[in-house]
Amino acid sequence: MPIRNRFAELQAEIAEWRQDFHRNPELLYDVHRTAGKVAEKLREFGVDEVIEGVGRTGVVAVIKGRTDTSGKVIGLRADMDALPINEITGLDYASQTPGKMHACGHDGHTAILLGTAKYLAETRNFDGTAIMIFQPAEEGGAGGLAMCEDGMLEKWNIQEVYGLHNAPGLPVGTFAMRKGPTMASADQFDVIIKGKGGHAARPQLAIDPVVTAGHVIVALQSIASRNIDPVKEVVVSICTLRSDSEAHNVIPMSVKLRGTIRTLDPEVREQVEPRFRAIVENTCAAFGAEAEIDYERGYPVLVNHDDNIDFAADAARAVSAEVDVNAPARLGGEDFAYLLERRPGAYISLGNGDSAPLHHPEYNFNDDAIPAGCSWFAEMVERRMPAA
């Protein structure tokens, strides 16, 4: 694997940073320690500018090339937040905070981008400006949107954006990507079905929200099977069903359903919500119950730009002999989608080897993936803004 020698030399140091982040996980926007460490390192590297507090707790660093005749500005992004999970890896650098864990590898992404920043600040072998974006709150907090709404893209004139995510099961040092829709929109809902409680032995005197909920759950699956083009992807998952009673002989007053809806097509996304509301409301009405619906739009579909995936693939081939440009789309959500709605760019996968899956209490980022990730980021900068 033709990784850059400098990153091979830096791997142990970058791994130390990564393991420190792993030991001290923080959630959503409450990433003050992590962001502080990131800003401290960036200043040590001698980058041209470090700006904290972008999108509440994000960090932006500016690194100028030896020349700037092109006027190009490329943004590279890493996420910093962890997950509310109890770690069971048994590692000597395992989380020291109960209930919090880097179970998605954002510690690795942050360390990789820091390593890239160190290298770029040393070499500056490009013509233009590289912007390092360290983002909070990817795990459900829309930190990418917050940084965009804080004017990040306009303030630093970012013209293209690139990011990566580690991929368990993909061999270390390999890359995977695809053009077009790559990760799903992630909407969520809460539905409260209100009936009329009563004794379980006299159901005729009650309006049973449990039976109603059962019919609602089954009917909602007709969205995928009967309302949406069969060749297009949509998933309607009801993940929680809870009544206001735990008794064996009581028909409850209400039942709460919670779940998520995923699709890879913005038009399908627009079709699903009205059908969801109609099915829930009308099914409840048929049973004499009422429905309260809280339907929340989450991350949009992540759509990779064709030309930028070509650029990303060329850079990956300079780093690895194994580059898959026809990787399957995934129905996980990712708020890098907000950046790609506003700027051309690409989001790719970096092999993490045979590790536990993402969001699992035994997951750990593979430090052997660091040189490849750093090399790819550096290649993107130097290829998109070649030295004059």
Side-chain angles (χ1 to χ4, degrees):
M1 183 174 65
I3 60 171
R4 293 169 181 250
N5 290 336
R6 183 60 175 138
F7 292 125
E9 296 169 359
L10 288 171
Q11 180 177 355
E13 182 180 1
I14 298 171
E16 286 182 8
W17 306 338
R18 200 280 297 182
Q19 292 171 20
D20 176 70
F21 296 140
H22 190 94
R23 192 180 292 112
N24 298 279
E26 297 175 298
L27 304 182
L28 294 172
Y29 289 96
D30 187 22
V31 291
H32 300 285
R33 181 190 184 277
T34 305
K37 290 286 186 180
V38 165
E40 178 185 336
K41 290 291 181 188
L42 290 166
R43 292 188 177 100
E44 289 177 7
F45 302 158
V47 304
D48 295 283
E49 191 176 2
V50 178
I51 305 92
E52 299 179 71
V54 183
R56 294 169 59 177
T57 49
V59 180
V60 170
V62 178
I63 305 174
K64 297 178 181 179
R66 292 180 186 173
T67 56
D68 187 15
T69 63
S70 69
K72 287 186 177 180
V73 184
I74 304 296
L76 308 178
R77 174 269 205 173
D79 34 20
M80 298 187 289
D81 58 321
L83 283 159
I85 294 175
N86 283 305
E87 182 168 352
I88 60 171
T89 62
L91 295 165
D92 58 2
Y93 55 83
S95 170
Q96 296 180 345
T97 307
K100 298 179 184 180
M101 175 194 175
H102 270 293
C104 201
H106 296 185
D107 51 344
H109 305 162
T110 298
I112 284 172
L113 191 55
L114 274 178
T116 306
K118 183 178 177 72
Y119 168 85
L120 292 175
E122 290 175 349
T123 60
R124 299 182 185 264
N125 188 33
F126 58 96
D127 179 55
T129 303
I131 306 295
M132 310 287 107
I133 302 166
F134 296 87
Q135 180 206 301
E138 191 283 322
E139 296 291 356
L145 178 60
M147 294 187 82
C148 288
E149 290 181 339
D150 219 358
M152 173 184 69
L153 298 173
E154 296 79 16
K155 191 176 298 182
W156 288 283
N157 190 32
I158 297 172
Q159 298 158 11
E160 299 176 13
V161 288
Y162 297 93
L164 59 76
H165 201 293
N166 75 95
L170 193 68
V172 171
T174 65
F175 296 88
M177 61 198 75
R178 65 177 286 115
K179 295 179 178 180
T182 299
M183 298 187 73
S185 58
D187 300 335
Q188 63 186 39
F189 57 83
D190 289 87
V191 174
I192 298 176
I193 299 174
K194 296 181 177 180
K196 179 182 177 183
H199 197 293
R202 292 181 291 175
Q204 75 278 11
L205 301 179
I207 297 174
D208 192 338
V210 177
V211 170
T212 305
H215 284 267
V216 167
I217 291 169
V218 172
L220 285 173
Q221 300 312 307
S222 68
I223 294 175
S225 66
R226 288 296 178 268
N227 298 138
I228 303 301
D229 186 336
V231 302
K232 296 184 177 180
E233 298 89 348
V234 63
V235 170
V236 181
S237 291
I238 292 84
C239 301
T240 299
L241 187 154
R242 182 175 297 131
S243 81
D244 59 9
S245 171
E246 295 185 2
H248 290 87
N249 60 350
V250 173
I251 293 174
M253 291 288 291
S254 66
V255 166
K256 184 173 186 177
L257 306 178
R258 307 186 80 180
T260 185
I261 295 173
R262 307 293 176 106
T263 179
L264 290 165
D265 187 323
E267 292 184 6
V268 171
R269 190 186 196 190
E270 294 303 320
Q271 289 178 271
V272 170
E273 183 176 353
R275 286 303 302 145
F276 179 93
R277 291 182 179 277
I279 288 170
V280 172
E281 291 169 352
N282 291 317
T283 303
C284 287
F287 285 86
E290 297 179 355
E292 289 184 1
I293 301 172
D294 180 10
Y295 193 104
E296 181 180 342
R297 293 291 183 102
Y299 297 168
V301 179
L302 186 150
V303 181
N304 277 323
H305 298 248
D306 288 3
D307 288 346
N308 301 86
I309 281 292
D310 288 338
F311 304 149
D314 287 343
R317 292 186 188 103
V319 177
S320 173
E322 295 184 46
V323 179
D324 180 4
V325 296
N326 295 300
R330 293 172 288 166
L331 289 176
E334 166 58 60
D335 78 345
F336 193 73
Y338 290 114
L339 280 71
L340 290 177
E341 283 187 329
R342 293 160 171 81
R343 295 291 187 273
Y347 193 68
I348 74 165
S349 295
L350 168 69
N352 199 58
D354 187 20
S355 70
L358 302 175
H359 293 217
H360 190 281
E362 291 183 317
Y363 167 86
N364 186 38
F365 180 85
N366 191 335
D367 289 331
D368 289 341
I370 287 171
C374 292
S375 294
W376 179 75
F377 269 143
E379 285 285 343
M380 288 307 307
V381 170
E382 294 179 358
R383 284 170 175 264
R384 295 299 297 139
M385 301 185 293

